[in-house]
Amino acid sequence: MTETTADHRDSYPPIAEFAAQANADATLYQRAATDRDAFWAEQAGRLHWHRPFDQVLDWTAAPVARWFVGGRLNVAYNCLDRHVLAGYGEQVAIHWEGEPGDSRTITYTELLAEVSRAANYFTRLGLTAGDRVAIYLPMIPEAIVAMLACARLGLTHSVVFAGFSPIALRQRVDDAQARLVITADGQWRRGKPAPLKTAVDEALSDGETTVEHVLVVQRTGIDAPMTAGRDLWWHETVANAAPEHEAQPFDAEHPLFILYTSGTTGKPKGILHTSGGYLTQTSYTHHYVFDHKPGQDVFWCTADIGWVTGHSYIVYGPLANRATQIVYEGTPNYPDEHRHFQIIEKYGVTIYYTAPTLIRTFMKWGSDIPAAHNLTSLRLLGSVGEPINPEAWRWYRQVIGANKTPIVDTWWQTETGAIMISPLPGVTAAKPGAAMTPLPGISAAVVDEEGKPVSLGETEANGYLVLDQPWPSMLRGIWGDMDRYRSTYWERYAAQGWYFAGDGAKLDKDGDLWVLGRVDDVMNVSGHRISTAEVESALVGHHYVAEAAVVGASDDTTGQGIVAFVILTAEAEDTGKDLIAELQSEVSREISPIAKPREIHIVPELPKTRSGKIMRRLLRDIAEGRELGDTSTLVDPGVFEAIRARKG
Ligand code: WTA
């Protein structure tokens, strides 16, 4: 990153005009602190409950929380029906922009009808509440329809990013034991259709699976062979189902979705979220953090629904809050680098939420590109997924935000379900690079190994971010592996009963919080979480690789880049560049192109401690071209000369 330190006095106080109309005000913090349960009960009041809850929080079975105990609701009803019943059916829910330039406008009435058709058809397929459905779709309206139809029926969806490989899809389908997979014939990639349905066929080709049907949306017209009895076209089935469907209420703790995310071991974790608390906190945060005004704002979150940001801030939060939003299928530079700015201009986007990696990419493309567009509709900008470097923050504010829009740097995780730490626009004087303060109703701390609070202003202190109180949208477990849930998040600070986030953090002299990045073996590449173990296991899957060690090295654009060090087997022929390209594509094939190492170095040995642990910290020093840190615990410090010589 180009800049790592920032002056903590560099701060941007709210502009009076914005503050005067802001949803948030400073009293929220105080109200939440005075009576936390009452505060969350009030936020739950943003939703429609078929049956009111009896108790706000039951934490007696910690670390598994029950929020809004006894309450019953339907998540899809909250996102659709109640807006239509209140007379807002003609409001646009989704302005959808297709990659090749096609577009669709979908009102709340239309979205409700589509979701009802899908719900009716899923019912006809014999799916019942609690069953799992895998969704493997590009950013098309049907993806959102499918998620909401699942929510409506109490089916648990597991969205798998459509960039994941067949192997990664199969792993997730098997772990969740999905009965249905929803996919598309193909997806648009830079103006050309790429197959997607065939990836599902490949995923399901070997051995027994729990999958009974594959439902296929026709998107590109690319050839998609159908297996009789198993495969069904969406347009021949869902599209013909009845557009009315009565939503049934479910318990507040009914499972809503599983979303797989990388952990420190090779196997992805199925993060489980439930209904009432999740919808409460996504709605609450979308309202206050984005200062969202239904019927006025045009909201655009640029994430893919394959990630949690798409779940919480494209589907559930915004739709619960009756947002009008943009859903865009393609990439920011197709057909050219103007695409996002054209979309902002075309629809008058008012709130824009994206990742630092894209902001840095925009910086690289140059200010002339946004300057060629009328971006005056923008009134708030957001950032998520990785620490934003102060230089990118200031550029974002200056060039995209006309030096006046508030910027919300929002820290959260797949596990937290919704935003946890962020400035409140109109209230907080934000500092470039700092996530600032936990939201009202949220409690976090920065502590050392023993759990003692770190002192303010200690930049190099070993600070770990912990969440010391349960929150409504917290994960309820890891699907099928509650032991792993306990050991991953709750063991480190078991004595205190705190959630260990896996991030390093510091508090500056004013007590404002800066998130510094992962402290475990998880890398963050363009805001995507990828575990070192996952990439290592893909590499050693190649018959020429005996051992592999992978580190995330800092990268000016993507935050981190993947750098691998491999030892070859005896039978390997070191064919130089060809072999490296082959290993890179092996990782793409096993996981996804997003996990492809930026560099692979063939080395004679890996640095290990006496107990045989690979010293990743030292490899990171090498990858980032730094002087080596302490090598005294190494078996053979000389190994570095050899590695360096090979790295060139
Ligand atoms: C990182 C994405 C600094 C962090 C919502 C976290 C951030 C991981 C920020 C979760 C931020 C996310 N500042 N770091 N504003 N937001 N992170 O599960 O390391 O894909 O643990 O959720 O991203 O990534 P995940």
Side-chain angles (χ1 to χ4, degrees), residues 93-111:
I94 295 169
H95 287 296
W96 177 75
E97 278 283 306
E99 206 237 31
D102 50 340
S103 62
R104 271 176 77 185
T105 293
I106 305 168
T107 64
Y108 273 94
T109 298
E110 289 164 348
L111 191 56

Side-chain angles (χ1 to χ4, degrees), residues 22-25 28 31 39 42-43 46 283-292 321 380 408 423-425 439-440:
N23 289 347
D25 66 71
L28 279 177
R31 274 166 44 213
F39 179 80
E42 185 188 323
Q43 300 315 320
R46 304 179 53 78
S283 167
Y284 158 71
T285 49
H286 178 259
H287 178 75
Y288 287 110
V289 175
F290 297 113
D291 193 50
H292 177 256
N321 290 353
L380 187 138
V408 289
L424 274 183
L439 291 177

Side-chain angles (χ1 to χ4, degrees), residues 37-276:
D37 280 10
F39 179 80
W40 281 119
E42 185 188 323
Q43 300 315 320
R46 304 179 53 78
L47 308 180
H48 172 89
W49 295 85
H50 279 73
R51 184 190 182 282
F53 48 89
D54 308 309
Q55 189 188 346
V56 174
L57 168 65
D58 176 3
W59 191 227
T60 53
V64 182
R66 290 170 70 218
W67 280 86
F68 309 119
V69 182
R72 293 178 74 77
L73 80 169
N74 185 290
V75 169
Y77 180 96
N78 271 284
C79 293
L80 302 167
D81 306 53
R82 67 171 171 146
H83 306 319
V84 173
L85 291 170
Y88 297 108
E90 295 314 302
Q91 184 186 318
V92 173
I94 295 169
H95 287 296
W96 177 75
E97 278 283 306
E99 206 237 31
D102 50 340
S103 62
R104 271 176 77 185
T105 293
I106 305 168
T107 64
Y108 273 94
T109 298
E110 289 164 348
L111 191 56
L112 172 58
E114 298 249 340
V115 169
S116 298
R117 287 183 202 278
N120 283 323
Y121 188 69
F122 294 178
T123 305
R124 197 174 322 155
L125 284 179
L127 296 167
T128 56
D131 286 344
R132 273 83 57 208
V133 175
I135 299 176
Y136 185 62
L137 282 171
M139 288 290 287
I140 55 177
E142 287 81 357
I144 298 170
V145 170
M147 289 166 76
L148 289 169
C150 288
R152 195 172 186 88
L153 297 172
L155 307 173
T156 306
H157 59 68
S158 163
V159 179
V160 180
F161 174 56
F164 273 127
S165 69
I167 296 167
L169 171 66
R170 176 63 184 259
Q171 211 176 18
R172 287 157 175 78
V173 162
D174 283 353
D175 188 77
Q177 302 198 295
R179 292 183 64 190
L180 173 68
V181 178
I182 305 175
T183 189
D185 56 348
Q187 54 185 335
W188 289 104
R189 283 281 167 83
R190 313 194 69 77
K192 292 196 190 70
L196 191 63
K197 163 66 165 58
T198 49
V200 177
D201 293 339
E202 195 183 323
L204 302 182
S205 61
D206 284 335
E208 285 287 299
T209 86
T210 49
V211 174
E212 294 158 35
H213 292 289
V214 178
L215 187 54
V216 188
V217 178
Q218 196 166 46
R219 170 60 187 137
T220 60
I222 202 171
D223 192 33
M226 301 290 273
T227 303
R230 187 193 71 179
D231 300 349
L232 306 152
W233 284 109
W234 178 286
H235 63 270
E236 289 173 357
T237 56
V238 175
N240 298 329
E244 298 89 25
H245 178 270
E246 199 182 328
Q248 303 301 318
F250 293 96
D251 190 90
E253 286 299 336
H254 188 80
L256 179 62
F257 66 85
I258 303 167
L259 185 59
Y260 288 85
T261 188
S262 293
T264 46
T265 67
K267 191 170 173 269
K269 303 178 281 197
I271 303 300
L272 176 68
H273 283 287
T274 61
S275 304

Side-chain angles (χ1 to χ4, degrees), residues 62 146 188 217 244 255 314 326 336 369 434 440 467-468 476 549 554 556 562 588:
W188 289 104
V217 178
E244 298 89 25
I314 294 176
I326 309 298
D336 59 35
I369 292 170
L467 302 167
D468 55 7
R476 300 301 196 264
S554 64
D556 278 350
I562 303 177
S588 297

Side-chain angles (χ1 to χ4, degrees), residues 309 385-387 409-414 503 515 518 524 529:
T309 308
E386 50 174 322
D409 175 5
T410 62
W411 177 86
W412 58 295
Q413 310 177 298
T414 306
D503 278 312
V515 179
R518 304 291 308 186
N524 191 327
R529 269 167 75 167

Side-chain angles (χ1 to χ4, degrees), residues 1-6 356-357 359-361 363-364 386-396 553-560 598 624:
M1 233 148 291
T2 40
E3 191 179 3
T4 50
T5 54
T357 183
I359 299 164
R360 290 191 293 265
T361 303
M363 285 171 78
K364 230 170 36 187
E386 50 174 322
I388 180 167
N389 49 312
E391 189 190 3
W393 195 105
R394 288 193 209 97
W395 186 92
Y396 198 24
S554 64
D555 184 292
D556 278 350
T557 307
T558 60
Q560 284 190 317
R598 182 185 78 184
E624 294 178 348

Side-chain angles (χ1 to χ4, degrees), residues 256-465:
L256 179 62
F257 66 85
I258 303 167
L259 185 59
Y260 288 85
T261 188
S262 293
T264 46
T265 67
K267 191 170 173 269
K269 303 178 281 197
I271 303 300
L272 176 68
H273 283 287
T274 61
S275 304
Y278 174 80
L279 198 63
T280 295
Q281 196 175 328
T282 50
S283 167
Y284 158 71
T285 49
H286 178 259
H287 178 75
Y288 287 110
V289 175
F290 297 113
D291 193 50
H292 177 256
K293 311 277 195 294
Q296 295 172 33
D297 278 309
V298 180
F299 179 78
W300 186 11
C301 165
T302 69
D304 189 286
I305 50 132
W307 313 115
V308 75
T309 308
H311 282 59
S312 301
Y313 299 105
I314 294 176
V315 184
Y316 294 111
L319 295 177
N321 290 353
R322 188 168 49 87
T324 293
Q325 63 177 329
I326 309 298
V327 176
Y328 173 48
E329 184 183 30
T331 52
N333 59 349
Y334 184 82
D336 59 35
E337 292 84 0
H338 290 264
R339 192 73 189 254
H340 272 217
F341 307 110
Q342 270 159 352
I343 293 174
I344 292 172
E345 198 169 13
K346 175 173 174 187
Y347 294 103
V349 171
T350 58
I351 305 167
Y352 180 74
Y353 187 35
T354 196
T357 183
L358 185 60
I359 299 164
R360 290 191 293 265
T361 303
F362 287 155
M363 285 171 78
K364 230 170 36 187
W365 291 344
S367 305
D368 291 356
I369 292 170
H373 299 273
N374 180 357
L375 306 179
T376 52
S377 57
L378 290 171
R379 64 181 200 88
L380 187 138
L381 302 172
S383 173
V384 62
E386 50 174 322
I388 180 167
N389 49 312
E391 189 190 3
W393 195 105
R394 288 193 209 97
W395 186 92
Y396 198 24
R397 159 105 172 189
Q398 183 73 40
V399 178
I400 310 296
N403 203 24
K404 68 173 181 21
T405 57
I407 293 182
V408 289
D409 175 5
T410 62
W411 177 86
W412 58 295
Q413 310 177 298
T414 306
E415 292 87 342
T416 69
I419 298 170
M420 303 292 283
I421 304 178
S422 166
L424 274 183
V427 177
T428 313
K431 296 173 185 171
M436 301 302 292
T437 23
L439 291 177
I442 300 299
S443 184
V446 181
V447 299
D448 65 13
E449 289 287 352
E450 280 83 52
K452 288 202 256 335
V454 299
S455 333
L456 300 191
E458 250 182 73
T459 51
E460 299 311 321
N462 267 354
Y464 298 112
L465 181 58

